[in-house]
Amino acid sequence: MATTAAEDRYDDDKDGTLNTTPPSEPGRSGHPHHRRIHIPGETDDAAPLAPIQTDPKKARRALWGSYVGTSLEWYDFFLFGTTAAIVFAPLFFGGDDPALRTIQAFLTFGVGFIGRPLGALVFGHFGDRLGRKGILVITIVVMGVASALIGVLPTFETAGIVAPILLAALRFVQGLATGGEWGGATLMAVESAPPEKRGFYGAVVQLGSPTGTLLSSLIVAGVVAWTGDQFLEWGWRIPYLISIVLVAVGVWLRLAVDETPDYRAAAADAAPGAHKTIPVVEIFRHIPGRLVVGICTYLFGNAGFFLLTTFMISYVSRVLELEPTVILTAISWGAVAQIISMTIAGKVADRITPAKMVVIGYVIAVVVAFPIFWLVDTRSSLLITVAMILGLGFASIPYAPVGTTLTQLFPIRLRYSAIALSANISGIIAGFMPALAAWILTMTGGSSLGPAILLFAIALTSLIGSIIARRMIVADHHAGLQGGEPLPTR
């Protein structure tokens, strides 16, 4: 069927945002195969508006607050993964089998991912109902306190079984905080951004992940070099205690940020009684398919990353029997490459649309999955570094615009909950990937083929999810909708 010029504009839009002039009647579907989703609390005749105007200065302030705060929060979360195999396995778990202790440490690492969906539900609910700003201050404080408390925990030698229980409990609290963090920070930046820069703003928030990785890897490597043999005695506590200072900076920045224009417009547009609905119930009732697509699209950003970092640290140091500094240094260079590649990907996303950039990135991730492990198995420090640059740099390209893509996939009034659930339900799967990979490694006699197949399968799943997500976003655009619903009318 022939399409109009207006319908063809999506693929050519340089800002990657929705065209608010639909090809047919305002507020209605212009495509015979699309129907409007009616949700209680919405008006039936809502008409799309011109893009909401943004203040460039406030937009930059929101971007900076989101990026720095997210970097500091991811520092705390990734720090646990960095130290899981080299600290928690020998100090917090009993028994004489190093492989079993490592698996137990990875399972504790996974506990944080169980807490993440619950955090997404709680913080997402209040973020959709009360706004983004206040919730983001709470999440970063909760994370900082939990991390500092990990730094003063007794070990198995002094507290017995109480030590791993307390460690798992604090890891769960970390997960709760992280569950509410990423979605809110992404919305704070993207919803405050100029329309033509939303892809780039979303990518900058995503840079908080490699920045946190870089900070945790460098600080742990520095403390290892400084404390030497004393690292396992007391040195490992230092990176956790530092988090209190870092979080204080993040809180200060976030208190200076205003609420987003998109949220204010949606709140003003809401019909009486709309706030009595529960966002998560509305998501599962009306847009469960979009949630599944969002989970698949985000999966590699979680699961792939932790295979390439948390599992790889254990694999290189315990299976390949190389010094931990080899893989920590390689990951640090990989994080630098990730920052560069994601910055470029964010810029390109504003030219070709974020969803298309995500698809291209996942094609790259599928292609490099096996070569990453081939390079690591050489035991060459240089080639291991190249592997981490491939994995964290090139394979992480889709991670840059995925936040903006998910923002386009869901309606404004349910966004916080929807994108938080997408990221954190995928996080449940991701959290146990290091333990699964370690178990596969044990079952296959130490061969890296099993973990490589696992990485490939995760990348392929996200590629399929991103293709479907892009088709949904294009269909919404042609119908003049946002996330399957009309845009706010004021």
Side-chain angles (χ1 to χ4, degrees):
M1 184 178 73
T3 58
T4 66
E7 288 175 328
D8 288 332
R9 278 189 57 197
Y10 180 83
D11 287 335
D12 296 328
D13 279 353
K14 292 185 178 181
D15 60 7
T17 59
L18 291 174
N19 174 14
T20 55
T21 305
S24 61
E25 180 185 356
R28 307 293 181 184
S29 173
H31 194 286
H33 299 295
H34 297 289
R35 62 180 180 86
R36 238 194 79 191
I37 299 175
H38 176 74
I39 298 180
E42 292 287 84
T43 57
D44 287 332
D45 56 350
L49 284 183
I52 297 171
Q53 296 299 313
T54 58
D55 183 324
K57 183 177 180 180
K58 290 182 178 180
R60 287 192 295 271
R61 185 188 304 160
L63 178 65
W64 184 246
S66 295
Y67 164 67
V68 174
T70 302
S71 298
L72 299 181
E73 188 140 4
W74 280 120
Y75 162 81
D76 285 326
F77 198 76
F78 293 152
L79 183 59
F80 196 105
T82 303
T83 55
I86 59 179
V87 173
F88 297 137
L91 295 184
F92 282 79
F93 298 94
D96 299 324
D97 186 348
L100 180 58
R101 291 203 303 266
T102 298
I103 291 175
Q104 289 173 325
F106 283 156
L107 289 174
T108 305
F109 173 76
V111 167
F113 290 87
I114 296 176
R116 285 176 63 167
L118 181 58
L121 289 174
V122 174
F123 293 120
H125 173 83
F126 290 107
D128 281 326
R129 290 293 171 258
L130 305 178
R132 315 336 187 178
K133 176 181 175 178
I135 299 303
L136 288 175
V137 173
I138 294 173
T139 59
I140 198 170
V141 170
V142 171
M143 174 64 83
V145 171
S147 297
L149 289 175
I150 289 176
V152 297
L153 282 180
T155 63
F156 186 88
E157 184 179 1
T158 57
I161 192 65
V162 173
I165 291 175
L166 290 176
L167 182 65
L170 290 174
R171 179 60 177 171
F172 183 79
V173 174
Q174 281 190 323
L176 288 176
T178 305
E181 164 64 27
W182 177 80
T186 298
L187 293 182
M188 180 63 73
V190 173
E191 291 182 349
S192 300
E196 72 278 4
K197 293 184 178 179
R198 288 195 163 190
F200 177 68
Y201 271 51
V204 171
V205 176
Q206 299 294 72
L207 290 177
S209 172
T211 302
T213 304
L214 189 60
L215 275 175
S216 62
S217 297
L218 289 178
I219 289 177
V220 170
V223 172
V224 167
W226 175 46
T227 58
D229 294 337
Q230 297 299 306
F231 178 72
L232 289 180
E233 294 292 330
W234 55 268
W236 67 270
R237 300 180 185 273
I238 295 174
Y240 286 94
L241 297 175
I242 288 175
S243 65
I244 282 292
V245 178
L246 299 179
V247 167
V249 175
V251 170
W252 175 70
L253 285 169
R254 286 186 169 175
L255 286 174
V257 174
D258 294 333
E259 192 52 80
T260 72
D262 277 15
Y263 176 79
R264 293 198 302 267
D269 190 63
H275 281 196
K276 294 181 181 179
T277 62
I278 301 174
V280 67
V281 173
E282 299 302 310
I283 290 168
F284 281 105
R285 180 182 298 168
H286 298 287
I287 52 173
R290 288 177 183 257
L291 179 61
V292 172
V293 171
I295 292 168
C296 291
T297 301
Y298 197 82
L299 182 62
F300 186 84
N302 270 330
F305 177 84
F306 289 113
L307 278 180
L308 292 170
T309 54
T310 303
F311 169 75
M312 200 65 80
I313 290 171
S314 173
Y315 178 67
V316 170
S317 61
R318 298 195 177 278
V319 177
L320 301 185
E321 298 181 338
L322 299 176
E323 289 296 322
T325 52
V326 172
I327 185 61
L328 290 175
T329 301
I331 288 175
S332 297
W333 282 112
V336 171
Q338 188 177 12
I339 291 172
I340 295 171
S341 67
M342 287 174 61
T343 302
I344 295 172
K347 288 287 188 181
V348 175
D350 281 326
R351 292 182 175 272
I352 68 172
T353 76
K356 187 181 290 184
M357 189 74 249
V358 171
V359 172
I360 294 172
Y362 281 136
V363 170
I364 295 173
V366 168
V367 170
V368 302
F370 286 100
I372 288 170
F373 279 91
W374 296 339
L375 290 168
V376 170
D377 284 342
T378 64
R379 288 183 166 84
S380 164
S381 297
L382 176 61
L383 294 181
I384 290 174
T385 300
V386 172
M388 291 301 98
I389 290 174
L390 273 180
L392 296 179
F394 292 95
S396 293
I397 286 175
Y399 190 63
V402 73
T404 306
T405 300
L406 294 184
T407 299
Q408 294 175 345
L409 186 63
F410 298 109
I412 294 172
R413 68 188 191 85
L414 301 175
R415 272 181 184 168
Y416 201 136
S417 297
I419 71 173
L421 283 171
S422 296
N424 293 297
I425 291 177
S426 75
I428 292 181
I429 303 170
F432 294 97
M433 283 300 105
L436 177 60
W439 178 79
I440 292 173
L441 200 66
T442 302
M443 294 297 100
T444 58
S447 170
S448 66
L449 179 60
I453 292 174
L454 190 60
L455 184 63
F456 174 82
I458 292 167
L460 185 61
T461 300
S462 286
L463 173 60
I464 294 170
S466 66
I467 292 172
I468 298 173
R470 181 173 180 273
R471 291 175 65 88
M472 286 181 165
I473 293 169
V474 171
D476 284 345
H477 182 77
H478 290 169
L481 305 177
Q482 165 64 67
E485 294 185 10
L487 294 167
T489 58
R490 59 180 178 270

